[in-house]
Amino acid sequence: MQRREAVKIFTAVFGASLAVPETVFARLAEPMDLGIKPILLSGKQRKTLAAVAECIIPKTDTPGAIEAGVPRWFEILLQDCYKPDAQKVIMDGLTNLDAECKTKHGSTFAKLKMPQQIEILTAMEKAERDAKVRGGFIRATKDLVKSCYANSEVGASTAFEYQIAPGRWSGEELYKMGDKIYL
Amino acid sequence: MQINHNGVVAENTYDAIVVGSGISGGWAAKELTQKGLKVLVLERGRDLRHVVDYQTTMSMPWDLPHQGRSPEESLKLQSVQARTGYTVQNEGTAYLFVKDTEHPYIEKRRFDWMRGYHKGGRSITWGKQTYRWSQMDFEANAKDGIATPWPINYNDIAPWYSYVERFAGISGSRENLEHLPDSEFQPAMDLTAAEKILKSSVEKKWNGRKVIPGRVAHLTEPTQEQLALGRGKCQYRNLCSRGCPYGAYFSSNGATLIAAERTSNMTFRPHSIVGSLIYDEATGKAKGVNVIDELTKQPMEFFAKIIFLNASCIASTSILMNTKTQRYGAAGLDESGSLGRYLMDHHLGVGASGTFEGELNKTTFGRRPNGFYIPRFRNLYQEGNGYIRGFGYQGGGTRQGWSRDIMGFGEDFKKQYTSLGPWNVNMGGFGEWLPYKDNMMMLSPDKKDQWGLPQVVIDAGYTSNELNMRKDMETDAVEMLEAMGAKNISSRSSEPALGLGIHEMGTARMGTDRKNSVLNKWNQVWVAPNVFVTDGAAMTSANCVNPSLTYMALTARAADYAVSELKKGNL
């Protein structure tokens, strides 16, 4: 949709003397599907991750993390773009979270109700901040979930708005809390 | 049929050869072809057709395999290029920088060499910031008694600045500053609400300090000439480094090479690595170039009356160094001893950022490929603490978005996450690096690349002048943020790294005399007057402003001179 808009701008700019055929432009808009498969996490870790991601960005009037495909993006980025020690922080964190929930609450994290999940995560975040841990499990996981959601097709066209070609610049635009943010 | 000394037919003979198709090579190609010369443009890398080959230019974040983050595997192949976040850490632009595994060089001291080997070179990925030099900058070496004096004045280059600006298209505001002359401007890109507060606070508090919109080579109000080339207005995508499908920023591919192609006088040959010049001992001129085909590794020769070296600072200098002659010996085409020396860059990685919590009912629209600029003020309006010359700042003030640190989870978190935070105001300094004789490059006597050409060795560093300047660069940034009432101010200053500015320059400098320089005031090699070097290699000092505009102007000026000399029979 937006890409079609961008092609329209392109055609308007170049008019009839279009040096590049529109078909080329359409080709440039093809997703670069390299057939990457997430293979880093175990089934258990995936379940925990999905639940954590949804606690961070739940479904409201706009889709939540799961609906936006965040768990899959998260795993692909974690396996391909992170160094082993940073991967370990998140993978161990997911495993430990589950183990702790079993001990303390008799259930895996994913099977707890969301209010309880959020309570657990909130306490973990506070502990991490109090201990001034850099690159801890909660911080690292939240950072990647935030990024995966904002850069996903669902997130960037519902909770946010991404335009490939905004077409204009304004240094002063009115804003109030609740207005949709352009990425 | 004309046959040269090797029996190669005249098909390999042109009026002019341009080595390199980056920002200055594109200008040489345009000027020489438009003046009627048959020109061969040699590019060491692959072809990169305008728009058609910009493979990520229309990709949405989710179209990229890793949403725009480069995977570790590919970063390993580009480990030098990855030393800055500006180049290959972005998945959408990594394809426009070299694989370091294929293009080795030797760092006696750290040197960050960012390279793009394809048609258009780094004109595709440059920052597009464009600033004129002033008379003060051309006088600086003579006044300070360092390095060697520039052989030209502002008046020599001013008309050529105007000439290239009208063609390239520069967005900016008229400020009437003597030390940062105005260009021929298209409308400026507005400052943001927070930047306007910074501007009024800084200009009120300090005599001579200014906060102005960055000056960039983007079309905001294209001329008929620009439209006719197929160039359009900036669409505020800020995806420039992927290549612009609208031709809205200036690049060789989108502007000068199109103009050159339309003359039908240009032959463009990719995969053509120039190793050295073919020097004629009898005439004291270069009669051609030795080329190695990048793919087949076959050697070839091409001949011309004039040769423009625009291969980028280090590569052009390598070609001069690798041209061994009886007359000038093993050191290359130079008798001054300055070839390969006085390597410069701009030093950066120093500045400050803070938050601003006013103007919260305002934000911005569009992604501006630009920011604000604070022209130099030290050693002009306020004295510098223990150094000569000065620095400018580039920065931006925009609302914080989803990536800011937000505590919490669930709906409350999501509400914050999808709203804007306070303004973030950030500025980073660009400081002048002085020309030092011992900051040098050489050719390795034994290490060769896969084409059999000697590897480049770099041995260069900084002194107390750069270090002292950086203290002011850090402190002044903090003070200006304080002046606007910013909070949470944090400053930064890393160890200066030569090359990281991606403004490497100065290893075949211009000068007043063949005893003190490689090039004369027309960018002519003193000892081979039909060879012109008009890329960063020619620079006699670095100033603190982004250099590309000056390369463009020097190139157009030298091309004009070269053709007039050619017509007079002097070359």
Side-chain angles (χ1 to χ4, degrees):
Chain A
M1 180 84 150
Q2 289 174 14
R3 256 188 305 237
R4 226 170 289 141
E5 287 300 311
V7 174
K8 262 193 239 157
I9 299 168
F10 182 77
T11 314
V13 166
F14 291 89
S17 71
L18 195 64
V20 183
E22 210 173 293
T23 48
V24 168
F25 222 71
R27 183 183 60 71
L28 286 171
E30 294 280 316
M32 295 168 69
D33 184 4
L34 302 186
I36 300 168
K37 290 202 167 58
I39 50 164
L40 184 69
L41 300 180
S42 69
K44 283 179 183 172
Q45 286 170 326
R46 281 188 188 145
K47 275 185 194 150
T48 314
L49 171 64
V52 171
E54 192 70 14
C55 282
I56 297 169
I57 305 173
K59 182 176 171 64
T60 52
D61 55 335
T62 56
I66 292 174
E67 197 179 332
V70 167
R72 187 176 179 277
W73 279 117
F74 188 104
E75 188 171 345
I76 288 175
L77 266 68
L78 187 66
Q79 79 185 16
D80 290 353
C81 307
Y82 280 59
K83 292 196 162 61
D85 50 342
Q87 289 174 341
K88 193 173 182 314
V89 168
I90 290 177
M91 291 166 73
D92 287 354
L94 292 170
T95 303
N96 293 342
L97 177 59
D98 239 8
E100 243 182 84
C101 285
K102 273 187 190 156
T103 315
K104 287 188 183 162
H105 310 286
S107 157
T108 59
F109 180 81
K111 285 192 177 149
L112 298 174
K113 293 260 181 289
M114 195 185 263
Q116 196 176 3
Q117 290 173 331
I118 287 179
E119 203 175 302
I120 293 167
L121 293 173
T122 305
M124 286 173 74
E125 182 172 55
K126 186 173 182 303
E128 211 176 88
R129 295 297 170 112
D130 289 349
K132 295 202 160 62
V133 180
R134 282 173 161 265
F137 166 63
I138 295 290
R139 179 68 189 261
T141 303
K142 272 178 78 173
D143 280 352
L144 188 50
V145 166
K146 282 157 70 181
S147 165
C148 288
Y149 185 87
N151 288 308
S152 71
E153 181 163 13
V154 169
S157 44
T158 56
F160 299 104
E161 185 164 348
Y162 181 82
Q163 295 188 4
I164 186 86
R168 69 182 176 92
W169 162 254
S170 163
E172 289 202 41
E173 199 85 347
L174 285 178
Y175 171 80
K176 60 179 189 312
M177 185 90 176
D179 287 354
K180 192 165 280 189
I181 302 177
Y182 291 93
L183 298 174
Chain B
M1 186 173 289
Q2 189 192 334
I3 308 228
N4 67 45
H5 72 291
N6 282 335
V8 177
V9 289
E11 276 161 30
N12 281 7
T13 302
Y14 297 81
D15 295 327
I17 292 171
V18 175
V19 181
S21 62
I23 219 152
S24 66
W27 269 101
K30 171 186 176 291
E31 295 303 302
L32 297 172
T33 54
Q34 287 184 335
K35 290 173 193 297
L37 269 54
K38 295 289 179 194
V39 180
L40 173 66
V41 178
L42 296 170
E43 165 54 50
R44 68 166 294 155
R46 65 183 188 276
D47 195 2
L48 183 77
R49 292 166 298 167
H50 183 49
V51 187
V52 179
D53 288 336
Y54 303 157
Q55 52 183 264
T56 55
T57 191
M58 292 308 283
S59 301
M60 302 297 238
W62 54 89
D63 291 335
L64 297 167
H66 301 91
Q67 295 186 334
R69 281 193 214 198
S70 284
E72 286 289 305
E73 278 302 307
S74 68
L75 289 177
K76 271 182 209 154
L77 304 176
Q78 297 183 299
S79 58
V80 172
Q81 308 304 299
R83 289 179 189 173
T84 162
Y86 184 79
T87 51
V88 298
Q89 290 179 24
N90 188 315
E91 194 172 29
T93 57
Y95 79 105
L96 293 170
F97 292 90
V98 299
K99 288 197 174 68
D100 291 300
T101 46
E102 293 172 5
H103 302 284
Y105 64 99
I106 298 156
E107 300 172 84
K108 274 202 157 175
R109 280 179 278 174
R110 176 179 169 180
F111 178 74
D112 304 316
W113 193 10
M114 306 300 153
R115 292 156 289 166
Y117 290 162
H118 46 254
K119 182 184 187 180
R122 291 178 294 186
S123 77
I124 290 290
T125 52
W126 68 308
K128 300 148 289 159
Q129 295 278 321
T130 34
Y131 302 94
R132 287 190 181 196
W133 284 38
S134 70
Q135 176 59 18
M136 170 190 80
D137 303 315
F138 289 106
E139 283 173 355
N141 278 3
K143 183 172 149 278
D144 294 326
I146 65 159
T148 202
W150 275 91
I152 56 171
N153 284 302
Y154 180 69
N155 287 340
D156 295 318
I157 199 172
W160 294 102
Y161 274 139
S162 292
Y163 176 78
V164 298
E165 286 160 359
R166 281 194 293 265
F167 179 82
I170 313 296
S171 153
S173 57
R174 293 194 67 83
E175 303 287 345
N176 297 310
L177 304 174
E178 203 185 332
H179 62 293
L180 192 77
D182 291 327
S183 292
E184 309 283 337
F185 287 132
Q186 297 191 6
M189 296 178 189
D190 254 0
L191 296 177
T192 67
E195 291 165 356
K196 285 174 189 166
I197 306 272
L198 174 73
K199 177 181 174 69
S200 57
S201 315
V202 165
E203 293 180 2
K204 192 172 146 198
K205 181 156 183 183
W206 287 281
N207 173 42
R209 291 197 198 181
K210 300 282 284 181
V211 180
I212 65 174
R215 297 173 174 179
V216 280
H218 278 254
L219 304 184
T220 52
E221 203 175 87
T223 62
Q224 277 311 312
E225 184 187 31
Q226 287 153 351
L227 290 169
L229 278 172
R231 302 186 61 199
K233 218 170 166 169
C234 181
Q235 299 297 315
Y236 299 99
R237 294 157 28 96
N238 199 21
L239 299 173
C240 315
S241 294
R242 300 178 179 184
C244 183
Y246 307 96
Y249 72 84
F250 175 83
S251 68
S252 297
N253 312 48
T256 43
L257 290 178
I258 293 179
E261 205 168 83
R262 287 188 181 174
T263 64
S264 302
N265 287 331
M266 177 173 75
T267 304
F268 178 80
R269 193 179 198 287
H271 304 299
S272 304
I273 304 173
V274 174
S276 60
L277 301 172
I278 304 166
Y279 183 74
D280 186 336
E281 302 278 350
T283 60
K285 289 189 238 172
K287 57 186 181 188
V289 296
N290 289 305
V291 169
I292 299 159
D293 187 287
E294 187 196 15
L295 305 176
T296 66
K297 301 197 174 151
Q298 287 304 305
M300 289 168 294
E301 292 179 325
F302 294 96
F303 304 92
K305 298 184 194 97
I306 54 175
I307 296 164
F308 268 67
L309 292 184
N310 301 95
S312 85
C313 166
I314 288 166
S316 290
T317 303
S318 300
I319 293 167
L320 292 176
M321 287 181 146
N322 203 30
T323 304
K324 317 291 184 196
T325 63
Q326 283 171 23
R327 209 185 289 196
Y328 304 106
L333 274 185
D334 173 52
E335 60 175 357
S336 72
S338 62
L339 184 66
R341 293 182 177 273
Y342 306 97
L343 176 62
M344 297 169 281
D345 187 14
H346 292 128
H347 57 96
L348 33 73
V350 50
S353 64
T355 59
F356 179 69
E357 285 165 22
E359 303 281 348
L360 291 180
N361 62 338
K362 287 175 188 161
T363 184
T364 53
F365 182 85
R367 294 185 298 273
R368 176 184 51 168
N370 191 11
F372 64 75
Y373 187 68
I374 301 178
R376 176 180 159 188
F377 49 84
R378 285 287 177 183
N379 292 321
L380 283 175
Y381 299 97
Q382 288 100 33
E383 207 176 313
N385 295 300
Y387 57 91
I388 59 169
R389 313 289 168 89
F391 53 87
Y393 292 100
Q394 288 173 33
T398 51
R399 295 290 295 269
Q400 293 182 355
W402 59 263
S403 66
R404 72 189 187 278
D405 184 25
I406 304 163
M407 293 281 282
F409 294 86
E411 274 191 47
D412 290 344
F413 170 83
K414 190 176 177 185
K415 209 169 278 171
Q416 293 295 316
Y417 167 70
T418 53
S419 309
L420 294 174
W423 296 88
N424 184 63
V425 185
N426 177 45
M427 63 178 86
F430 281 68
E432 175 159 0
W433 208 309
L434 295 180
Y436 302 112
K437 190 176 183 191
D438 291 339
N439 274 355
M440 58 193 290
M441 57 169 284
M442 298 146 272
L443 299 181
S444 169
D446 47 3
K447 293 234 164 52
K448 296 203 167 17
D449 66 15
Q450 56 175 301
W451 297 278
L453 294 170
Q455 286 188 27
V456 169
V457 183
I458 309 274
D459 185 7
Y462 51 85
T463 75
S464 60
N465 201 75
E466 287 75 38
L467 289 181
N468 289 340
M469 186 185 293
R470 291 173 80 78
K471 287 178 197 156
D472 274 359
M473 290 163 86
E474 188 176 359
T475 316
D476 289 346
V478 169
E479 285 177 6
M480 287 191 278
L481 291 174
E482 282 169 354
M484 75 175 289
K487 292 178 184 160
N488 306 309
I489 297 171
S490 69
S491 67
R492 58 183 183 275
S493 181
S494 53
E495 190 180 359
L498 208 89
L500 219 51
I502 325 184
H503 296 161
E504 70 276 7
M505 59 174 106
T507 42
R509 68 184 182 186
M510 296 167 76
T512 53
D513 190 284
R514 57 197 299 136
K515 295 276 175 267
N516 64 24
S517 50
V518 180
L519 308 175
N520 71 8
K521 65 177 175 180
W522 299 106
N523 297 73
Q524 256 173 315
V525 176
W526 285 109
V527 301
N530 68 327
V531 179
F532 294 78
V533 184
T534 66
D535 57 23
M539 302 300 274
T540 310
S541 63
N543 192 3
C544 63
V545 301
N546 305 55
S548 297
L549 182 67
T550 299
Y551 303 166
M552 296 188 214
L554 286 175
T555 304
R557 178 176 175 268
D560 183 66
Y561 176 78
V563 173
S564 86
E565 286 296 287
L566 194 62
K567 283 186 181 149
K568 287 182 204 151
N570 291 342
L571 291 177

